[in-house]
Amino acid sequence: MAKLSKSTITYLDIKYNNKNITNELDKHIVDWTYTDNLSGQIDDLQLTLEDVENKWMNSWFPTKGALLEVSKCHRQDNGAIIRTMLGKFEVDEIDARGPGVQVVIKALSTPEKSSLRGQEKSKAWEKATLKMVAGDIAKANGLKLVFKANETEKKDRIEQDQQTDIAFLHEQCNSEGLCLKISNNAIVILDEADYEDKPTVTTIYRDNKKVDADILVVTWNARTTLTGIYHSCTVKHKDTKSKKLIEGTYTPPKPPTTTRKLIEKEQVKSVAEAQKLAKKKLRQANKEATTVDLVIFSKKHMYAGQTVQLEQFGKFNGKYIISQTTYSNGNTSLKLRKCLVGY
């Protein structure tokens, strides 16, 4: 395997409303960042441009809502270019600053022309599943639905009460122990447990001096905690008609060393359903127990949702899932959390 070389050049290839502006940007771009989130936050792109000639402040001033199609390109030592599509973004905000004029363009993967973010709504669904609700919201916003999880149980009533679509969907996904991602004109709902079960894409070593690896760790920070972590979870529901209490508990094979028990009140129709939901609720509560933040140099493109193996980190060794990746024209930042075992 070839040794890493920091002479590798990373740059963006950008189309603005279907017109390639890479050459124009190349002369003005000072910095850029792209953030890929696994769940709960919108993927975003930020471009910082110098504007000594006052072009971006005037005739080149971007239009809010304009479409950016963005690829990340690696030009390697041998001249070969590795291209990775980052996605489609809409210009959301433009800042200007001085002295030494700079223009900052901020773009989000959620189309502003949709009402996902900016409009509070009220609506109710009867005898519906999360997939049905998400499908209706996706259609109303002109987006695709990508549902990468097992179908959830049908609820008697699901109600959106003066909430934005994205806040409401995130709440519903959390209640089902699932993750929500908005990317490339699609609403994506996924089960993190399925992603954690996938094979690791690479091994990251803390010290590359003795190991020939394809990722160089620049800085790192690791943390493990019992704060907010639970031994088990119980889901309870009292049927309004029969007055019967339905209750289910889940305890993982190797529970954390705490006596705290998580109690959740959710609409369920059977003990089996309550136990299944309790398992997902416990996962949501405990998933941040062990986390590692890395700044790396890598020729590989790392995606949120991929799993990696950490080595030479002592008690922090193990399998982790990437919860966030942030790229810039320099290094790459990764937020990792340790994969849970048994749930």
Side-chain angles (χ1 to χ4, degrees):
M1 185 182 295
K3 291 286 187 181
L4 285 172
S5 169
K6 285 195 173 183
S7 64
T8 302
I9 298 174
T10 302
Y11 65 95
L12 296 181
D13 184 84
I14 299 180
K15 289 182 180 179
Y16 175 91
N17 286 341
N18 296 317
K19 179 184 177 182
N20 196 295
I21 61 168
T22 303
N23 289 336
E24 288 85 348
L25 279 176
D26 187 52
K27 302 171 187 175
H28 299 273
I29 194 161
V30 176
D31 196 11
W32 61 267
T33 59
Y34 161 69
T35 304
D36 174 22
N37 298 291
L38 178 58
S39 178
Q41 299 181 64
I42 298 169
D43 294 352
D44 64 79
L45 176 76
Q46 181 167 307
L47 307 173
T48 302
L49 310 168
E50 67 81 19
D51 195 26
V52 176
E53 299 173 357
N54 288 317
K55 289 183 177 180
W56 294 97
M57 289 277 287
N58 292 287
S59 60
W60 286 10
F61 195 81
T63 301
K64 286 182 286 185
L67 177 67
L68 301 178
E69 296 180 63
V70 185
S71 296
K72 179 173 70 71
C73 302
H74 274 310
R75 183 184 294 119
Q76 300 189 81
D77 296 333
N78 61 4
I81 294 176
I82 300 174
R83 179 185 297 266
T84 304
M85 181 66 176
L86 300 184
K88 296 180 180 180
F89 305 82
E90 283 198 357
V91 175
D92 177 67
E93 184 178 316
I94 302 132
D95 294 343
R97 59 184 66 154
V101 182
Q102 289 186 341
V103 171
V104 181
I105 302 171
K106 300 176 183 179
L108 300 174
S109 64
T110 304
E112 180 57 37
K113 61 176 175 282
S114 77
S115 57
L116 268 178
R117 292 189 292 120
Q119 182 180 340
E120 293 183 345
K121 302 177 185 178
S122 295
K123 186 176 178 178
W125 288 261
E126 305 287 344
K127 307 293 183 183
T129 63
L130 174 59
K131 186 176 182 179
M132 293 164 62
V133 171
D136 285 349
I137 290 175
K139 184 177 180 181
N141 286 281
L143 302 173
K144 298 181 296 182
L145 173 65
V146 180
F147 199 87
K148 296 183 175 181
N150 293 328
E151 182 65 284
T152 58
E153 299 290 337
K154 187 176 288 187
K155 298 291 181 67
D156 292 335
R157 183 178 175 85
I158 301 175
E159 188 170 354
Q160 180 179 3
D161 183 17
Q162 286 298 298
Q163 295 171 284
T164 63
D165 285 341
I166 193 167
F168 170 68
L169 270 181
H170 189 236
E171 178 184 274
Q172 295 304 309
C173 287
N174 272 340
S175 72
E176 297 286 356
L178 300 175
C179 293
L180 172 70
K181 182 178 177 67
I182 312 295
S183 182
N184 284 334
N185 291 316
I187 293 173
V188 183
I189 294 176
L190 54 92
D191 190 333
E192 284 189 7
D194 294 338
Y195 279 67
E196 289 184 21
D197 284 341
K198 293 183 178 181
T200 58
V201 297
T202 191
T203 298
I204 300 176
Y205 298 90
R206 181 179 59 83
D207 184 0
N208 288 99
K209 294 177 182 177
K210 298 179 181 179
V211 180
D212 192 8
D214 53 11
I215 293 176
L216 173 66
V217 174
V218 181
T219 64
W220 61 278
N221 182 64
R223 174 179 179 266
T224 189
T225 182
L226 277 178
T227 301
I229 305 303
Y230 297 88
H231 179 274
S232 63
C233 176
T234 297
V235 170
K236 297 181 178 181
H237 174 65
K238 190 172 184 178
D239 190 279
T240 54
K241 293 181 180 179
S242 67
K243 305 300 180 181
K244 180 182 177 182
L245 179 65
I246 302 171
E247 183 177 316
T249 298
Y250 180 77
T251 304
K254 295 181 179 180
T257 55
T258 176
T259 58
R260 282 189 297 272
K261 297 179 181 180
L262 179 64
I263 308 296
E264 295 278 359
K265 294 181 179 180
E266 293 285 350
Q267 183 186 134
V268 290
K269 296 179 179 179
S270 67
V271 173
E273 184 184 344
Q275 290 173 333
K276 181 180 177 181
L277 187 55
K279 182 178 181 179
K280 290 186 176 182
K281 289 286 189 179
L282 189 63
R283 156 174 281 277
Q284 287 289 92
N286 288 357
K287 66 182 185 181
E288 298 291 334
T290 301
T291 58
V292 176
D293 294 344
L294 302 173
V295 175
I296 63 171
F297 176 75
S298 173
K299 294 181 181 180
K300 279 189 173 184
H301 185 88
M302 309 296 290
Y303 296 91
Q306 289 180 322
T307 59
V308 299
Q309 180 74 21
L310 293 191
E311 293 293 343
Q312 300 177 339
F313 287 85
K315 293 295 185 180
F316 289 96
N317 285 350
K319 185 179 182 182
Y320 287 73
I321 188 168
I322 302 173
S323 59
Q324 184 186 80
T325 305
T326 301
Y327 280 94
S328 68
N329 58 357
N331 293 320
T332 300
S333 298
L334 301 180
K335 289 186 178 297
L336 311 176
R337 61 171 186 76
K338 199 165 193 178
C339 296
L340 297 175
V341 178
Y343 62 121

mmCIF file of all heavy atoms in Angstrom, residues 22-30 50 55-56 60:
data_model
loop_
_atom_site.group_PDB
_atom_site.id
_atom_site.type_symbol
_atom_site.label_atom_id
_atom_site.label_comp_id
_atom_site.label_asym_id
_atom_site.label_seq_id
_atom_site.Cartn_x
_atom_site.Cartn_y
_atom_site.Cartn_z
ATOM 1 N N THR A 22 -16.574 26.067 -11.768
ATOM 2 C CA THR A 22 -15.371 25.652 -11.045
ATOM 3 C C THR A 22 -14.188 26.575 -11.314
ATOM 4 O O THR A 22 -13.473 26.962 -10.388
ATOM 5 C CB THR A 22 -15.001 24.202 -11.420
ATOM 6 O OG1 THR A 22 -16.115 23.350 -11.126
ATOM 7 C CG2 THR A 22 -13.789 23.736 -10.645
ATOM 8 N N ASN A 23 -13.973 26.951 -12.557
ATOM 9 C CA ASN A 23 -12.834 27.810 -12.899
ATOM 10 C C ASN A 23 -12.959 29.183 -12.254
ATOM 11 O O ASN A 23 -11.971 29.753 -11.770
ATOM 12 C CB ASN A 23 -12.702 27.955 -14.414
ATOM 13 C CG ASN A 23 -12.228 26.672 -15.073
ATOM 14 O OD1 ASN A 23 -11.585 25.833 -14.433
ATOM 15 N ND2 ASN A 23 -12.556 26.496 -16.345
ATOM 16 N N GLU A 24 -14.165 29.754 -12.260
ATOM 17 C CA GLU A 24 -14.385 31.060 -11.642
ATOM 18 C C GLU A 24 -14.139 30.981 -10.132
ATOM 19 O O GLU A 24 -13.506 31.864 -9.537
ATOM 20 C CB GLU A 24 -15.809 31.569 -11.905
ATOM 21 C CG GLU A 24 -16.062 32.009 -13.332
ATOM 22 C CD GLU A 24 -16.459 30.860 -14.244
ATOM 23 O OE1 GLU A 24 -16.321 29.684 -13.825
ATOM 24 O OE2 GLU A 24 -16.894 31.137 -15.372
ATOM 25 N N LEU A 25 -14.621 29.914 -9.515
ATOM 26 C CA LEU A 25 -14.447 29.747 -8.074
ATOM 27 C C LEU A 25 -12.986 29.552 -7.703
ATOM 28 O O LEU A 25 -12.530 30.043 -6.663
ATOM 29 C CB LEU A 25 -15.255 28.534 -7.585
ATOM 30 C CG LEU A 25 -16.745 28.732 -7.336
ATOM 31 C CD1 LEU A 25 -17.384 27.408 -6.965
ATOM 32 C CD2 LEU A 25 -16.981 29.746 -6.238
ATOM 33 N N ASP A 26 -12.250 28.839 -8.526
ATOM 34 C CA ASP A 26 -10.874 28.485 -8.214
ATOM 35 C C ASP A 26 -10.012 29.717 -7.943
ATOM 36 O O ASP A 26 -9.091 29.674 -7.128
ATOM 37 C CB ASP A 26 -10.280 27.670 -9.366
ATOM 38 C CG ASP A 26 -8.898 27.125 -9.036
ATOM 39 O OD1 ASP A 26 -8.768 26.490 -7.976
ATOM 40 O OD2 ASP A 26 -7.962 27.351 -9.828
ATOM 41 N N LYS A 27 -10.338 30.818 -8.596
ATOM 42 C CA LYS A 27 -9.556 32.048 -8.439
ATOM 43 C C LYS A 27 -9.932 32.815 -7.170
ATOM 44 O O LYS A 27 -9.203 33.713 -6.744
ATOM 45 C CB LYS A 27 -9.766 32.953 -9.654
ATOM 46 C CG LYS A 27 -9.395 32.297 -10.975
ATOM 47 C CD LYS A 27 -9.839 33.155 -12.148
ATOM 48 C CE LYS A 27 -9.616 32.432 -13.472
ATOM 49 N NZ LYS A 27 -10.159 33.214 -14.623
ATOM 50 N N HIS A 28 -11.085 32.474 -6.579
ATOM 51 C CA HIS A 28 -11.598 33.284 -5.470
ATOM 52 C C HIS A 28 -11.804 32.514 -4.169
ATOM 53 O O HIS A 28 -11.914 33.135 -3.115
ATOM 54 C CB HIS A 28 -12.941 33.912 -5.875
ATOM 55 C CG HIS A 28 -12.853 34.829 -7.050
ATOM 56 N ND1 HIS A 28 -12.546 36.163 -6.937
ATOM 57 C CD2 HIS A 28 -13.031 34.595 -8.379
ATOM 58 C CE1 HIS A 28 -12.528 36.720 -8.151
ATOM 59 N NE2 HIS A 28 -12.824 35.794 -9.036
ATOM 60 N N ILE A 29 -11.859 31.190 -4.233
ATOM 61 C CA ILE A 29 -12.224 30.429 -3.042
ATOM 62 C C ILE A 29 -11.109 30.439 -2.000
ATOM 63 O O ILE A 29 -9.952 30.177 -2.299
ATOM 64 C CB ILE A 29 -12.638 28.996 -3.424
ATOM 65 C CG1 ILE A 29 -13.345 28.317 -2.253
ATOM 66 C CG2 ILE A 29 -11.448 28.171 -3.886
ATOM 67 C CD1 ILE A 29 -14.183 27.115 -2.672
ATOM 68 N N VAL A 30 -11.468 30.800 -0.787
ATOM 69 C CA VAL A 30 -10.537 30.847 0.338
ATOM 70 C C VAL A 30 -10.653 29.580 1.173
ATOM 71 O O VAL A 30 -9.657 29.016 1.622
ATOM 72 C CB VAL A 30 -10.822 32.084 1.226
ATOM 73 C CG1 VAL A 30 -9.926 32.087 2.468
ATOM 74 C CG2 VAL A 30 -10.653 33.362 0.431
ATOM 75 N N GLU A 50 -12.975 35.201 -1.600
ATOM 76 C CA GLU A 50 -12.424 36.556 -1.517
ATOM 77 C C GLU A 50 -13.043 37.378 -2.645
ATOM 78 O O GLU A 50 -13.351 36.861 -3.716
ATOM 79 C CB GLU A 50 -10.892 36.526 -1.615
ATOM 80 C CG GLU A 50 -10.309 36.085 -2.955
ATOM 81 C CD GLU A 50 -10.291 37.186 -3.998
ATOM 82 O OE1 GLU A 50 -10.382 38.361 -3.625
ATOM 83 O OE2 GLU A 50 -10.205 36.838 -5.200
ATOM 84 N N LYS A 55 -16.739 41.446 -7.439
ATOM 85 C CA LYS A 55 -17.594 40.741 -8.403
ATOM 86 C C LYS A 55 -18.737 40.019 -7.691
ATOM 87 O O LYS A 55 -19.891 40.085 -8.114
ATOM 88 C CB LYS A 55 -16.759 39.740 -9.193
ATOM 89 C CG LYS A 55 -15.796 40.362 -10.184
ATOM 90 C CD LYS A 55 -15.061 39.282 -10.970
ATOM 91 C CE LYS A 55 -14.143 39.881 -12.023
ATOM 92 N NZ LYS A 55 -13.412 38.831 -12.791
ATOM 93 N N TRP A 56 -18.396 39.304 -6.595
ATOM 94 C CA TRP A 56 -19.419 38.506 -5.902
ATOM 95 C C TRP A 56 -20.420 39.397 -5.180
ATOM 96 O O TRP A 56 -21.573 38.999 -4.957
ATOM 97 C CB TRP A 56 -18.751 37.542 -4.917
ATOM 98 C CG TRP A 56 -17.924 36.501 -5.609
ATOM 99 C CD1 TRP A 56 -16.581 36.532 -5.814
ATOM 100 C CD2 TRP A 56 -18.393 35.314 -6.232
ATOM 101 N NE1 TRP A 56 -16.168 35.422 -6.531
ATOM 102 C CE2 TRP A 56 -17.264 34.654 -6.795
ATOM 103 C CE3 TRP A 56 -19.649 34.716 -6.373
ATOM 104 C CZ2 TRP A 56 -17.351 33.448 -7.472
ATOM 105 C CZ3 TRP A 56 -19.747 33.505 -7.036
ATOM 106 C CH2 TRP A 56 -18.603 32.885 -7.583
ATOM 107 N N TRP A 60 -21.899 39.017 -9.739
ATOM 108 C CA TRP A 60 -21.831 37.577 -9.468
ATOM 109 C C TRP A 60 -22.571 37.189 -8.185
ATOM 110 O O TRP A 60 -22.458 36.057 -7.732
ATOM 111 C CB TRP A 60 -20.362 37.138 -9.345
ATOM 112 C CG TRP A 60 -19.647 37.091 -10.663
ATOM 113 C CD1 TRP A 60 -20.081 37.552 -11.869
ATOM 114 C CD2 TRP A 60 -18.327 36.563 -10.896
ATOM 115 N NE1 TRP A 60 -19.144 37.361 -12.838
ATOM 116 C CE2 TRP A 60 -18.052 36.749 -12.275
ATOM 117 C CE3 TRP A 60 -17.370 35.971 -10.094
ATOM 118 C CZ2 TRP A 60 -16.851 36.346 -12.855
ATOM 119 C CZ3 TRP A 60 -16.177 35.571 -10.668
ATOM 120 C CH2 TRP A 60 -15.921 35.752 -12.038
#
